[in-house]
Amino acid sequence: MKNLQFGSQCVRAARDTKTTRPHQLPIYATSSFAFDDLPEGMAVFSGEQAGHLYSRFGNPTIDAVAEKIAQLEMHGSGEEGHGLFCSSGMSAISTLCIGLLQPGDAILTQPNLYGGTDELFRKVLQPLGFEVILADLSDLNTVAKALEQHAAIRMVYFETPANPTLSCVDIKAVSALAHSHQAIAVADNTFATPYLQQPLLLGADYIVHSTTKYLNGHGNSTAGAIVGKDKETMQEQVFPALKLLGTNGSPFEAWLLNNGMKTLELRMERHCQNAAQIAEWLTQQPQVSRVNYPGLPDHPDHQLAGQQMRHFGGVVSFELKGGLHAGRQFVEGLELCTLAPTMGDVDTLVMHPATMSHLRVPVEQREAAGISDGMIRLSVGIENIEDIRSDLEKGMASIEKRG
Ligand SMILES: *Cc1c(COP(=O)(O)O)cnc(C)c1O
């Protein structure tokens, strides 16, 4: 299985060959595992003998899927990654931070994080004594200065491309800066997936995923994953945090995720192809004042994204000249695209950050992060491009009619 191409690995990996020979990965719906006798139980408990004990610690379905994600993140390098499967993207992030950091340690991160991560840092980790320092991570001088000024920084945490402006972070350069100050580099790879971008191969130490999005791709399970390059810290620090906080995912969610991942390469190719065409089309619409897509030559991170990503991703955001009012009219005029606060599913999803994901963010802060009242985020699906475009045309036309 080791020498397969990326897309083949997506399809073929994560089969259970240890017990019987099922053609597909089964769901092990069992909370614990039985032993033949006391010596066997003792050997497995002490770690002398490989085996499963209790599903919160691991389970054949869960382990197969965690290993598959680790293989995909390290694909092509010949090196091994170490994966853990979690109950959500948020549980992956909190487990990693609690497992690796001590109160008093600081996290350096960006102001334009996924909303839940931003709240986790401010509302949960900060009150527990973890310091959180915000800086523009796309500016390497700012990153270097922050690392020099705050000796307590132990982790640099970033998202690239970031939501919803699609700004990018130079993974290689920021990881190197982190390492020169004895800090670890962590990338949230949810938007890109390992098919488009492999942060661990560019120098990051850990990646986290909300597998709820593109890795699953079908919008039918909530789960997350952590992959680390260092086996010892994964086993001695991150795994105990998962096991003892109980942030493990379930075998059923792992099984759904495995089915979704089989078509990762096919889906990502189509998502990216469609998104590139939609971004180009949006630039020509008179109602649109700005389009954010790293694939467009005028996006500030076009060159960087081209270096560290295979294609430019499936998410596009844009601003309507008519602001909030036009945003509402546009969304109301759509018939095919689904209005939903998620992304990465096979169907095209629309989100209006000002009234949905960023409703509770103060207006000044939201606008400073580049999220205007008229911004629309599109998670471009894998439908036929003609159908997506004609639906977006309906949305645009409804602005004109009522506007
Ligand atoms: C959705 C998301 C998360 C949180 O994941 P859940 O599975 O909803 O817990 C974290 N990071 C990014 C970039 C996301 O899009």
Side-chain angles (χ1 to χ4, degrees), residues 88-90 93 114 117 159 188 190-191 210 212-213 222-223 343:
S88 65
M90 292 314 303
I93 299 163
Y114 171 74
T117 310
E159 290 175 14
D188 181 330
T190 300
F191 265 56
S210 167
T212 313
K213 317 292 169 53
T222 297
M343 35 88 54

Side-chain angles (χ1 to χ4, degrees), residues 14 17 32 38 45 60 87 97 101 128 133 138 172 213 219 258 274 286 297 301 310 325 330 335 380 393 402:
T17 52
S32 69
L38 208 55
F45 258 92
S87 58
C97 291
L101 302 173
L128 289 174
I133 297 159
S138 65
K172 206 182 237 175
K213 317 292 169 53
N258 185 48
N274 282 353
D301 299 318
R310 184 192 296 266
H325 189 60
F330 171 79
E335 286 170 15
V380 182
E393 271 163 8
R402 299 181 217 172

